[in-house]
Amino acid sequence: MKLASLDDGTPDGSLHVVNRALTRAANATRVARTLQAALDGWDTVGPRLAELAARLEEGAVRDAFPLDVARTLAPLPRAHALLRTDAHGALYPACSDWFLPPHAPPQHAPVLLRGALAAILPHTARGTAASAVHVPLLCLLADVELEKPHGPLDRFPPAAMGPVAVSPDELGSHWQHGRVDLPLVVTHNGEPAITPCPAVAHAALVAAACRRRAVAPGTLLLGPAGEAVRIGLGDTVKVEALAGGHSVFGAVEQGGPP
């Protein structure tokens, strides 16, 4: 299942299901108005969205239409919380009030950019063990860091998300036992810069996050990112995850003439 939020003039957009090839979409607002609304009631809403996505894949949705990636917002434009992972595997909170669309122009330069995968979580009870963690969706981020921030709040500007959030089953063998191992491609000024990304045990990280408190639906958990690429003014950058030669989340594409 792949989900997108299309721009309808509201901050969170309208929820749509998207086919695996990222070429067609169908309105899902009869099931849930936004992705956040879907996450709030995921136990019942999730299966209905999966059913609609399966019908879209079969060509059985009459009002399906060609997907215009330029209309996509971040799949989850605003998150209730963002949990980052430091170099030692410890979690810490960060700003989550806004995420950029996949084609949004960069807000700062120069920056250090890293491709990363994040888990989008439903309500997860306090004390949930890693073996019982449910990760319903994953998303792709072009995570940016200022080289010379003025303070902690300035260190990480809003990141751009890939066009769609994806259920882990779409990753096939790249998702095993709550762990994702999927190569990311960062193309800088037309040249592939970095392809590896650390394998991330999202289930174990979620269990650590809810050891002493519940996790609210709409929480984003960002695992360790790959190596950084320095992006300057006017540079172009493309970030995507490939599986079997296909783009799983679509691409984040930014930059160009200032």
Side-chain angles (χ1 to χ4, degrees), residues 95-252:
C95 294
S96 62
D97 52 339
W98 206 255
F99 292 95
L100 301 177
H103 297 283
Q107 296 188 327
H108 304 272
V111 296
L112 300 175
L113 181 143
R114 300 173 178 88
L117 298 176
I120 302 176
L121 303 176
H123 171 79
T124 307
R126 175 182 175 179
T128 299
S131 59
V133 163
H134 176 50
V135 176
L137 297 168
L138 297 164
C139 64
L140 171 70
L141 273 79
D143 196 33
V144 292
E145 179 181 2
L146 295 183
E147 290 186 292
K148 297 180 180 180
H150 295 292
L153 288 178
D154 293 331
R155 182 182 174 190
F156 294 105
M161 276 191 196
V164 297
V166 173
S167 57
D169 61 290
E170 296 286 346
L171 274 60
S173 62
H174 295 285
W175 175 264
Q176 297 284 342
H177 309 295
R179 183 181 183 91
V180 62
D181 187 359
L182 186 65
L184 304 184
V185 179
V186 178
T187 303
H188 181 211
N189 291 335
E191 295 293 331
I194 291 175
T195 54
C197 183
V200 181
H202 279 108
L205 291 173
V206 175
C210 64
R211 185 172 295 131
R212 299 188 183 279
R213 53 169 293 174
V215 170
T219 294
L220 210 66
L221 194 151
L222 184 61
E227 296 179 35
V229 178
R230 189 178 189 274
I231 307 298
L233 189 66
D235 288 1
T236 61
V237 64
K238 180 179 181 180
V239 183
E240 59 185 337
L242 301 178
H246 300 287
S247 185
V248 179
F249 302 90
V252 174

Side-chain angles (χ1 to χ4, degrees), residues 18-64:
V18 176
N19 68 343
R20 290 189 179 96
L22 304 179
T23 57
R24 297 189 65 76
N27 193 306
T29 55
R30 293 182 180 178
V31 180
R33 178 73 181 79
T34 65
L35 182 53
Q36 180 59 57
L39 292 164
D40 287 340
W42 190 259
D43 286 349
T44 56
V45 174
R48 295 176 62 194
L49 290 172
E51 180 182 359
L52 179 60
R55 289 175 54 220
L56 175 66
E57 204 66 39
E58 296 166 357
V61 180
R62 286 191 298 173
D63 58 354

